[in-house]
Amino acid sequence: MSTPTVTIQIDLRSAAILQSLKEKAESEGVALDVLLRTLAEGVSGLQHAMMTPAEKAEDFLTWVTTHSVKGAKADDSRESIYGREDEAFPSDQSTKANSLRLKMARARLGSP
């Protein structure tokens, strides 16, 4: 199965640039399209770095609206965040049982 290709018309100067990029890609052992995508992502990052804070905020809000999660509800109540104290600190009996299980597992593995 071959990869679909597209033919575009460019001026000679751009063709020379693409030829040198193709040679660079071949010397690095990657395909030209991979190198071009990497360069395009770098340009995108550079453009983001040059944005004003207001532009970045607008860009973020646009991203958020396209990635919204509908129907999900977060339980941010105090009880869900902090839980019950007895769940956080097990009783002495529970601690002793866990210690015994650990000793038994170590004995089976032959470690101290």
Side-chain angles (χ1 to χ4, degrees), residues 34-86:
V34 173
L35 178 65
L36 290 175
R37 270 189 253 123
T38 303
L39 292 171
E41 289 169 1
V43 169
S44 171
L46 179 62
Q47 289 172 342
H48 183 74
M50 296 173 61
M51 294 170 80
T52 66
E55 291 170 329
K56 287 181 182 179
E58 182 64 33
D59 194 36
F60 175 72
L61 291 175
T62 302
W63 180 88
V64 167
T65 58
T66 60
H67 292 81
S68 67
V69 179
K70 296 186 178 15
K73 294 184 181 179
D75 183 7
D76 57 357
S77 66
R78 181 176 181 80
E79 291 78 23
S80 72
I81 294 172
Y82 295 105
R84 293 180 22 197
E85 191 173 306
D86 60 342

Side-chain angles (χ1 to χ4, degrees), residues 4-58:
T5 60
V6 176
T7 303
I8 59 171
Q9 293 184 359
I10 56 174
D11 62 22
L12 290 176
R13 184 171 179 217
S14 297
I17 292 169
L18 282 174
Q19 182 60 39
S20 67
L21 287 173
K22 181 181 177 189
E23 291 167 4
K24 178 178 173 54
E26 288 172 352
S27 71
E28 293 179 7
V30 297
L32 177 60
D33 61 329
V34 173
L35 178 65
L36 290 175
R37 270 189 253 123
T38 303
L39 292 171
E41 289 169 1
V43 169
S44 171
L46 179 62
Q47 289 172 342
H48 183 74
M50 296 173 61
M51 294 170 80
T52 66
E55 291 170 329
K56 287 181 182 179
E58 182 64 33

